[in-house]
Amino acid sequence: MQAGTPWLLEVQHVSIQFGGILALQDVSLEIGPGEAVGLIGPNGAGKTTFFNCITGILEPHRGRVRFMGADITDLEVYERARLGIGRTFQRMELFTGMSVREHLLVSLRAYTRAGSMMNDLVSGGRPTDAERGIVEDTAKLVGLDDRIDSVVDTLSLGHGRLLELGRALMTNPRLLLLDEPSSGLDHVESMALAEVLHAVQHARRTSYLLVEHDLSLIRVATDRLYVMEQGYLLAKGPTEAVLNHPRVREAYTGVAG
Ligand SMILES: Nc1ncnc2c1ncn2[C@@H]1O[C@H](COP(=O)(O)OP(=O)(O)OP(=O)(O)O)[C@@H](O)[C@H]1O
Ligand SMILES: [Mg+2]
């Protein structure tokens, strides 16, 4: 990080338009090193659009995105990933017949590609001790160490999401972006996910931005919260205070007070 910039991520006055729809209007957001930040808002508020402006899938028409003090607004998705912006995908893309261990290894090698080609030639694809160590540490961190040799077809949806998280961690991100990771999970699975997020935050000092509809997950897994409505930022502040704000309650739940 550059001197004078306390933030890991700074999104400054971002706007984007789709045809006639102003999907984002002058939205700014900051995330500090090691911070857990939430983003909520009704359907269509612009959360995913905003998320895509950070990962680089979308380019804002106005505003800048800065990461570790550098302007990354014009960088490609893969360049941002290299700098340390990781993400999970909403739709799980797990491969039938492959184990948890194999999924993590493939993600690790995709990240350290040159090494793996050499490794594949020398060892016929067997993991090195170093790779094995990283894969097993990550499986443990996300709570899948006892399922590490299970084929993914046998995993619950909750365990599948934890594996997605583990895969995202193989690039050793400084910032992890999660778009509705609890969708389809029951309460117990969501709380397990929250525990893993805390563990990742503490063990690796990874910051994360959690886009969610599940307010119980937001409550336990974030320290600060931003609320969007129709492309605008409606509120920001400490999570509990923001959730209790009457305007937020009204906008988000449709019930005032
Ligand atoms: N590629 C696109 N082309 C046109 N309009 C889009 C595009 N992507 C999003 N929009 C519109 O922008 C607005 C914001 O959508 P977005 O998906 O960001 O909302 P969201 O807050 O993620 O909603 P949800 O909670 O349902 O996931 C919506 O009106 C949506 O229809
Ligand atoms: Mg969305």
Side-chain angles (χ1 to χ4, degrees):
M1 199 187 335
Q2 267 176 10
T5 309
W7 302 115
L8 180 65
L9 178 79
E10 273 183 286
V11 184
Q12 302 170 323
H13 308 290
V14 157
S15 298
I16 193 165
Q17 197 163 344
F18 298 118
I21 301 170
L22 263 168
L24 295 176
Q25 306 185 53
D26 196 25
V27 181
S28 297
L29 169 146
E30 298 87 29
I31 300 179
E35 226 191 346
V37 175
L39 174 61
I40 62 169
N43 291 117
K47 303 180 298 295
T48 297
T49 303
F50 185 73
F51 186 97
N52 288 338
C53 288
I54 302 173
T55 60
I57 290 174
L58 288 173
E59 198 180 333
H61 298 143
R62 289 216 193 94
R64 310 306 294 176
V65 181
R66 301 175 67 83
F67 187 65
M68 297 197 304
D71 192 322
I72 61 163
T73 318
D74 300 322
L75 296 190
E76 299 290 338
V77 173
Y78 75 91
E79 293 173 308
R80 298 179 196 215
R82 291 252 150 212
L83 287 177
I85 298 180
R87 62 163 301 176
T88 59
F89 290 89
Q90 184 148 15
R91 194 166 56 87
M92 283 195 286
E93 286 168 19
L94 301 179
F95 299 104
T96 310
M98 273 173 64
S99 69
V100 168
R101 184 192 295 278
E102 286 164 337
H103 274 84
L104 293 176
L105 183 62
V106 167
S107 294
L108 177 62
R109 286 185 175 173
Y111 181 58
T112 55
R113 192 174 306 150
S116 83
M117 278 171 68
M118 183 57 74
N119 179 63
D120 285 349
L121 287 173
V122 173
S123 68
R126 283 195 310 277
T128 63
D129 287 348
E131 286 176 330
R132 186 186 289 273
I134 293 169
V135 164
E136 290 179 357
D137 284 352
T138 303
K140 187 157 194 233
L141 184 58
V142 300
L144 288 176
D145 41 338
D146 59 341
R147 305 301 303 271
I148 193 163
D149 290 312
S150 301
V151 170
V152 294
D153 317 45
T154 66
L155 297 182
S156 63
L157 185 62
H159 283 160
R161 286 274 156 71
L162 294 176
L163 175 54
E164 276 290 290
L165 183 58
R167 291 211 294 186
L169 289 174
M170 298 319 276
T171 63
N172 213 6
R174 291 186 167 93
L175 172 66
L176 197 54
L177 303 169
L178 305 123
D179 193 357
E180 295 193 38
S182 84
S183 80
L185 302 189
D186 64 28
H187 183 69
V188 173
E189 290 173 320
S190 293
M191 292 304 109
L193 177 65
E195 268 186 38
V196 169
L197 287 173
H198 278 304
V200 169
Q201 185 192 18
H202 286 115
R204 306 243 173 123
R205 205 165 156 66
T206 310
S207 305
Y208 56 85
L209 177 66
L210 181 62
V211 174
E212 259 301 335
H213 281 289
D214 179 349
L215 297 187
S216 59
L217 179 57
I218 285 287
R219 264 204 174 85
V220 298
T222 68
D223 307 316
R224 281 199 307 120
L225 183 59
Y226 288 77
V227 186
M228 283 180 68
E229 186 188 36
Q230 293 180 22
Y232 285 104
L233 208 58
L234 184 70
K236 66 172 182 175
T239 298
E240 205 52 47
V242 169
L243 286 175
N244 287 327
H245 195 283
R247 265 196 76 195
V248 172
R249 290 170 76 129
E250 188 177 358
Y252 198 70
T253 64
V255 182

